[in-house]
Amino acid sequence: MTAAREKTPDAPENAGLLAARVFESAPSRSAAQALLREIAEAKSDTQPLLPAQPLALYGAGDLGRLARDHLRYLDIPIAAVIDRNADTIAADPGWAGIPVLHPDAVEPAFKHEAMLAVSIATSPFAPLQASLRDAGWTHVVPYYDIAESFRDRHPLSNGWSAERFSSDEVAALTRVLDGWSDDRSRAHHLQFLAWRRLRREWSFGDAPVTVGDRFFIPEMLAVLTESEHYLDGGAHYGLVGRRFVEERQGRFQSLTAIEPDEQSRRTLHQTLATLPADQAARCRVLDTVLDETPQNRNFHEGLGYASQIASTGRTSRHTASIDTLDLTPTILKLHLEGHELPALKGATATLAVHRPILMATVYHNADGLYATADWLMHTLTRYRFLFRLHSWCGTGAVIYAIPEERG
């Protein structure tokens, strides 16, 4: 058993910069538990951030568009969006009325006055923050930390912070860290915990964050057959489902896409309609809100990625459990904005009978710290469990569970 060796110090020299820490290699079981104790014992003062004006966004990609729509919903003005593809973005009607600037075109006075909210999660935050500070920006923060201040009005929930762990939680976390099937999973889980508990950016040299393979890691792709029944819970626009079909080159039995948001579901139908006719014929769409048990719930619709069961929702929906849907999945993917664990508990019989490959996001609430993994490790027998990060700032965390009989 070897400890994870560090390459850089824990704290930055420049006050106000996010602490970054780089290890050469993923930790063994014993080293992982030592690092967990360090996270559990460290002091933290993380808290949501209220936006200051003028407020600017850095990045106009997927997260930038989500941040734009989120701020519009909250009626919070955006003073500018900063992006290296400014000319292309300025021509996009979605950014109409918002100044779009190349980083080199921003005045020094604006850099000093503005809060710059980074709406990028596909690269590490700490070096980007340091680079922006060196370029003259005074106040650089992750966008999701701002979003957390408005959870009473909008349920977007990627910026939450973990409270101090109790002794029982440390015991559960220790159990889960020990239960992962490889050291890379332990590295990514610790990286996730360090951000959520301390807002410190850890990384491990031989366990990189991979952005492009979310839900399609090599370990999963290697065991697929031509007889897969793919169940896509939280299908959104159908991009993950379409990629599954493309990865399989049409060699699959069926695809069931579940999407309860009306606007997203319209686009989902359009996405699946672009498939060749023989493949599209094997796909169907269900308008269902997944839950542990059938009941009436408030559903917040019309929010794109963020539509979900939430107290802020004004639409009442009757939910369904997976066990009541008479489905036979061999692959189950869940991306339910924090409602993955209840949906899994509502699929207990389906999991036991059909033993699907499982892929579930775990970064939208504190269930992702250990509760979802702990339940799966206790419930599923003869599975191997993997934890992977597919983006930064505590996001993109997915649990993969693969039945041992798959090889």
Side-chain angles (χ1 to χ4, degrees):
M1 298 286 188
T2 57
R5 292 185 297 172
E6 285 186 66
K7 295 172 62 177
T8 58
D10 192 5
E13 296 180 1
N14 194 343
L17 293 180
L18 185 103
R21 188 172 180 179
V22 179
F23 300 86
E24 290 185 357
S25 58
S28 64
R29 282 182 168 86
S30 60
Q33 291 171 13
L35 291 171
L36 170 62
R37 290 192 296 272
E38 185 177 328
I39 292 171
E41 293 168 3
K43 293 182 179 180
S44 174
D45 59 356
T46 61
Q47 57 187 348
L49 296 173
L50 286 171
Q53 290 295 334
L55 175 66
L57 296 179
Y58 187 85
D62 287 345
L63 177 51
R65 290 188 291 272
L66 184 148
R68 175 199 65 197
D69 295 344
H70 181 250
L71 291 168
R72 283 176 174 168
Y73 182 92
L74 298 169
D75 199 26
I76 295 174
I78 303 171
V81 59
I82 316 301
D83 196 288
R84 294 192 176 278
N85 297 313
D87 291 343
T88 301
I89 293 160
D92 182 342
W95 294 99
I98 301 173
V100 181
L101 304 175
H102 187 278
D104 296 340
V106 182
E107 294 293 334
F110 185 76
K111 292 180 179 180
H112 179 71
E113 297 169 1
M115 173 181 278
L116 185 65
V118 174
S119 48
I120 296 172
T122 53
S123 61
F125 177 79
L128 178 57
Q129 183 193 43
S131 174
L132 289 167
R133 287 282 297 272
D134 287 345
W137 292 94
T138 301
H139 198 180
V140 182
V141 301
Y143 181 75
Y144 282 137
D145 284 12
I146 291 175
E148 196 66 11
S149 294
F150 300 97
R151 290 278 297 281
D152 59 330
R153 296 163 57 188
H154 191 294
L156 182 64
S157 56
N158 291 353
W160 56 274
S161 299
E163 300 292 334
R164 189 177 185 89
F165 302 146
S166 68
S167 57
D168 287 345
E169 288 174 323
V170 171
L173 283 160
T174 300
R175 186 166 60 243
V176 168
L177 279 172
D178 193 57
W180 297 123
S181 296
D182 62 7
D183 289 344
R184 183 173 182 175
S185 296
R186 280 177 274 278
H188 281 197
H189 192 186
L190 288 166
Q191 185 172 339
F192 180 74
L193 295 174
W195 181 275
R196 292 299 179 183
R197 169 82 178 84
L198 307 173
R199 282 301 189 272
R200 297 180 187 173
E201 193 165 74
W202 287 15
S203 59
F204 297 81
D206 63 353
V209 172
T210 54
V211 175
D213 63 347
R214 185 188 301 196
F215 305 122
F216 298 96
I217 61 173
E219 293 88 344
M220 189 275 283
L221 292 176
V223 300
L224 298 185
T225 72
E226 296 185 5
S227 302
E228 304 295 353
H229 297 264
Y230 181 82
L231 175 55
D232 189 348
H236 190 235
Y237 290 166
L239 301 181
V240 175
R242 183 175 67 187
R243 179 170 174 185
F244 167 76
V245 173
E246 292 170 348
E247 290 280 352
R248 298 301 305 141
Q249 296 181 326
R251 300 191 301 272
F252 69 102
Q253 288 296 310
S254 68
L255 184 153
T256 301
I258 297 178
E259 178 49 60
D261 182 82
E262 182 179 359
Q263 295 177 17
S264 295
R265 196 168 57 254
R266 285 198 297 268
T267 304
L268 168 62
H269 279 290
Q270 295 168 2
T271 299
L272 297 178
T274 65
L275 296 172
D278 68 310
Q279 298 172 14
R282 286 174 271 157
C283 302
R284 63 168 173 159
V285 175
L286 299 181
D287 174 12
T288 304
V289 181
L290 295 176
D291 204 353
E292 181 174 358
T293 58
Q295 57 188 303
N296 291 323
R297 290 274 205 166
N298 288 343
F299 186 77
H300 202 140
E301 60 185 357
L303 301 179
Y305 287 111
S307 295
Q308 60 187 275
I309 292 172
S311 60
T312 55
R314 298 179 181 179
T315 301
S316 179
R317 294 290 301 270
H318 192 69
T319 66
S321 68
I322 290 174
D323 283 343
T324 65
L325 297 179
D326 193 27
L327 300 171
T328 59
T330 62
I331 304 173
L332 172 57
K333 169 254 179 180
L334 295 174
H335 190 169
L336 305 175
E337 299 300 310
H339 214 67
E340 293 82 6
L341 182 54
L344 286 167
K345 290 180 177 179
T348 304
T350 301
L351 294 171
V353 172
H354 300 291
R355 294 183 57 79
I357 296 170
L358 174 68
M359 307 176 290
T361 57
V362 288
Y363 57 93
H364 297 100
N365 61 27
D367 284 346
L369 295 173
Y370 64 87
T372 302
D374 203 30
W375 186 87
L376 287 169
M377 291 175 181
H378 177 76
T379 303
L380 302 181
T381 58
R382 295 181 293 108
Y383 269 73
R384 56 187 173 120
F385 299 96
L386 304 172
F387 187 102
R388 294 289 186 266
L389 286 176
H390 299 288
S391 54
W392 297 81
C393 294
T395 63
V398 179
I399 290 177
Y400 300 85
I402 302 173
E404 289 181 359
E405 62 268 24
R406 290 273 192 157

